[in-house]
Amino acid sequence: MLDESLLDSPDGLGEADRRGLLRGAAEAGARVRTAARHAAEAGVRELKPDGRPRAVLIAGPGAAATHTADLLGCLAGPGSPVIRLAPTGVAPAAGALRWELPGWAGSVDLLLIATPDGTEPSLSLLAEQAYRRGCSVVAVAPAGTPLAEAVSGAHGLLVPMATAPYDQEEPLAASSPGVFWALLTPLLALLDRIGLLAAAPDALEKVADRLDHIAERCGPAIATYSNPAKTLAAELADSLPVVWTEGTSAGPAGRRFAAALAELAGRPAVVAELPEALAAHSALLAGPLAASADPDDFFRDRVEEPPALHARVVLLRDRPIGGLTAAPAARDLALSHDTPISELEPEEGGDLETLAELIAVTDFAAVYLALASGA
């Protein structure tokens, strides 16, 4: 059950936020600026690439590395494939995870390692393996860790991860906004330098400014009725979020939102991109999870029963209204099944800015849902 009164209690939210999630979301802009400075100090802007790599391989644990690979692949497009190296192992622990380079990886490929830990033995071995194969290696990880030493030994480039003092107080959630932006920003600067995407220093500064703007709009002191993140969290109470995305970069934002809902708030969600989502989820909206679905026994006593879980569509768009869009069909399908719909569309700006806004608002929403539901 969602405690909606907690949403309008900044002090109560602060007391419930034992993992520092709200601080991570609020300080995302500052984290981007710090991470960009670390990248510059590490020498990213002075690199002289010999051309685009054939493939960009990304390795790292948890949701942050997954979301980073997803977003970079989206922004880079088909020019060079961005491939996440999924770990294997018997447990999601630093010593149990294993990464391996594909057999074809060689001197024309680039290995990126992104981790908020840096103690994973297999990532250190992966850096050494890449060096023997002739792959270029770049890592974003905490300074002074075994991985940092391994990357230095492999003649790779290490960018120290931008951390905050409270990061050491509690275990870092993989979907934490602070972790995500600390790992993503240096890799954006790097791939801009080698020509795979556009993320110049001024573009990253605009991203930080947009994140600051969202933090002002969605912060804990802003009342629910004028706070889009709190409003979305309240709308998703006792709902199954059906996240539909439209536009190239909205896809990673939607997938990150679904993962954050699961990890931070303990809520299931399904996600798909328009227009295929209309066919993929039409049966879901018409089935027992539909808002208009009737119980088998209408007259049974419901006093002691928890509220039924019904679908709610969340439409994330990164393109302006007008032009070719499946949004009207999405609204019609949802409303034809009496399914409520929430919509988020960013203000005008560059691709990175609009994507950052979608991610920031949904990050805040996932955090508020987690705190108000006691997750």
Side-chain angles (χ1 to χ4, degrees):
M1 296 292 293
L2 186 77
D3 182 1
E4 292 195 34
S5 64
L6 186 63
L7 292 177
D8 283 326
S9 172
D11 291 339
L13 288 169
E15 292 176 2
D17 187 18
R18 294 181 295 274
R19 293 178 286 177
L21 299 176
L22 273 177
R23 288 181 295 185
E27 295 174 4
R31 194 78 70 128
V32 167
R33 293 187 183 91
T34 302
R37 186 177 71 251
H38 285 185
E41 292 172 351
V44 167
R45 294 298 169 192
E46 284 71 44
L47 293 177
K48 297 179 180 179
D50 294 329
R52 290 189 173 195
R54 176 182 60 180
V56 178
L57 309 173
I58 301 182
T66 302
H67 302 155
T68 296
D70 189 12
L71 192 145
L72 292 179
C74 164
L75 294 176
S80 287
V82 177
I83 302 169
R84 179 179 180 249
L85 302 181
T88 58
V90 297
L97 293 173
R98 298 288 183 270
W99 287 267
E100 290 288 341
L101 285 178
W104 48 263
S107 59
V108 292
D109 303 309
L110 171 64
L111 172 65
L112 306 179
I113 301 176
T115 174
D117 189 339
T119 64
E120 303 91 346
S122 185
L123 285 180
S124 297
L125 294 175
L126 184 70
E128 296 171 3
Q129 182 185 20
Y131 173 65
R132 293 194 298 270
R133 297 265 200 99
C135 292
S136 299
V137 181
V138 178
V140 182
T145 57
L147 176 61
E149 297 177 5
V151 170
S152 177
H155 301 283
L157 175 66
L158 173 74
V159 179
M161 178 182 166
T163 58
Y166 59 83
D167 286 343
Q168 309 304 321
E169 298 173 5
E170 296 289 342
L172 292 172
S175 291
S176 167
V179 173
F180 173 70
W181 289 109
L183 296 180
L184 174 66
T185 303
L187 300 183
L188 286 172
L190 173 71
L191 296 191
D192 171 75
R193 183 61 182 167
I194 62 179
L196 282 184
L197 50 81
D202 59 335
L204 294 179
E205 184 60 33
K206 289 180 179 178
V207 167
D209 291 341
R210 182 67 65 96
L211 292 172
D212 288 344
H213 175 62
I214 297 304
E216 293 174 359
R217 290 179 57 204
C218 299
I222 306 301
T224 299
Y225 67 86
S226 59
N227 186 320
K230 287 184 179 180
T231 299
L232 180 57
E235 290 172 345
L236 293 181
D238 305 317
S239 297
L240 172 68
V242 180
V243 183
W244 291 346
T245 66
E246 183 173 52
T248 304
S249 59
R255 290 185 285 273
R256 172 172 170 78
F257 185 36
L261 287 172
E263 182 183 357
L264 302 182
R267 300 296 185 95
V270 293
V271 59
E273 298 186 19
L274 292 176
E276 290 87 351
L278 302 181
H281 291 160
S282 60
L284 185 154
L285 297 186
L289 291 174
S292 58
D294 289 327
D296 294 334
D297 182 3
F298 182 80
F299 295 102
R300 74 181 187 275
D301 184 7
R302 298 177 176 80
V303 174
E304 301 299 330
E305 292 186 6
L309 188 68
H310 292 307
R312 184 183 187 97
V313 171
V314 180
L315 178 58
L316 305 181
R317 305 179 65 213
D318 70 350
R319 61 179 60 175
I321 297 175
L324 186 62
T325 173
R331 298 185 190 103
D332 290 344
L333 177 62
L335 296 178
S336 69
H337 295 293
D338 295 328
T339 300
I341 183 168
S342 304
E343 297 191 40
L344 289 178
E345 183 172 330
E347 299 175 4
E348 292 185 2
D351 290 343
L352 280 177
E353 292 174 77
T354 57
L355 177 57
E357 179 171 336
L358 287 177
I359 291 174
V361 174
T362 52
D363 276 349
F364 266 108
V367 170
Y368 284 129
L369 191 59
L371 298 181
S373 58

